[in-house]
Amino acid sequence: MSGFLSGKDEFNRARILEGTIKVFRKEGIGFTMNDLSHELGMSKKTIYTVFRDKESLLYTMVDYFFDSVKKDENEILQRADLPTQEKLRQVLGVMPVSYSDIDFGSIYSLSNKYPRVTSHLRDRLETDWETTLSLVDQGVAEGVFRPVNKIVFQLTFEAAIERFLSDDTLKKNHIHYKDALDELTNLLIGGILK
């Protein structure tokens, strides 16, 4: 994909990314570019003018997802009506609305076929923790949270998410990704409350 997109290409890019969410919801990670083309009513040739292949599309989807998470996090942080512990709970458990009914349990199959996408997903998961950890500091200063090793807190969350996405354990146990994320968040918040 080129660095600069025309207005039409940018429109198509957004349309393709939103269509990918819909196809992923229906077909899982095994969706084909034909599935996407059919969903969008757009030729594969047009899709390939924006994304050179499925891997580049999935790579961009990682950023699209995390950018949506960041947008939702910022909205949570702006809410003056939420106490610190609730802000932290919502930030850790944020799931953009358009992704809320997607079961991310099949993401584990990415690692063999698309290792670059898996690596990018891991990088995005492991970066940009400043806001979250500042909420922990704020809660400690307010006396809501006990002092906690923030590195251990972060690593615990990251490791659990990576495990959720690394195999089919959640699926085998009939646990939806969003439910697992909510339970993880409750365990972490409960573990640091004073």
Side-chain angles (χ1 to χ4, degrees):
M1 194 170 83
S2 67
F4 298 100
L5 297 174
S6 70
K8 183 179 179 183
D9 285 343
E10 189 59 44
F11 173 78
N12 281 339
R13 178 184 181 276
R15 190 169 160 225
I16 292 166
L17 292 170
E18 286 298 320
T20 302
I21 296 168
K22 291 177 184 174
V23 172
F24 184 85
R25 189 178 289 122
K26 293 176 192 174
E27 306 293 334
I29 198 67
F31 75 88
T32 66
M33 295 302 260
N34 281 334
D35 295 330
L36 181 56
S37 173
H38 185 271
E39 175 68 34
L40 294 170
M42 179 185 288
S43 73
K44 284 195 319 184
K45 182 179 178 183
T46 302
I47 295 170
Y48 286 130
T49 63
V50 181
F51 296 101
R52 70 178 167 270
D53 53 25
K54 185 175 176 182
E55 181 181 40
S56 65
L57 172 62
L58 293 173
Y59 191 93
T60 303
M61 281 302 300
V62 170
D63 288 329
Y64 194 66
F65 171 78
F66 279 97
D67 292 347
S68 294
V69 166
K70 279 290 150 205
K71 180 179 170 277
D72 288 355
E73 279 182 8
N74 288 332
E75 289 175 12
I76 292 165
L77 294 171
Q78 298 304 316
R79 293 194 47 197
D81 62 317
L82 292 178
T84 303
Q85 68 268 25
E86 187 56 30
K87 283 183 181 181
L88 182 60
R89 181 183 317 278
Q90 289 187 26
V91 164
L92 288 173
V94 73
M95 181 65 64
V97 174
S98 60
Y99 292 83
S100 62
D101 62 343
I102 292 177
D103 190 357
F104 288 90
S106 65
I107 296 289
Y108 71 91
S109 62
L110 274 176
S111 58
N112 291 332
K113 194 165 184 181
Y114 304 106
R116 190 173 79 94
V117 175
T118 304
S119 176
H120 187 52
L121 176 64
R122 187 172 291 114
D123 289 346
R124 288 297 307 256
L125 180 63
E126 294 172 357
T127 58
D128 207 12
W129 273 83
E130 295 80 15
T131 301
T132 305
L133 296 178
S134 71
L135 284 171
V136 173
D137 286 338
Q138 183 178 336
V140 170
E142 293 170 354
V144 175
F145 300 144
R146 65 177 179 78
V148 61
N149 184 314
K150 294 181 295 184
I151 299 301
V152 172
F153 183 88
Q154 176 182 341
L155 290 174
T156 301
F157 186 84
E158 289 173 359
I161 297 299
E162 285 190 37
R163 179 59 197 262
F164 292 168
L165 301 177
S166 70
D167 63 26
D168 61 353
T169 301
L170 292 179
K171 188 173 186 172
K172 283 182 181 175
N173 290 284
H174 309 289
I175 303 170
H176 192 278
Y177 176 81
K178 178 64 174 145
D179 295 334
L181 180 61
D182 289 344
E183 184 66 19
L184 172 62
T185 300
N186 288 335
L187 288 168
L188 285 174
I189 301 295
I192 65 172
L193 282 173
K194 225 172 184 185

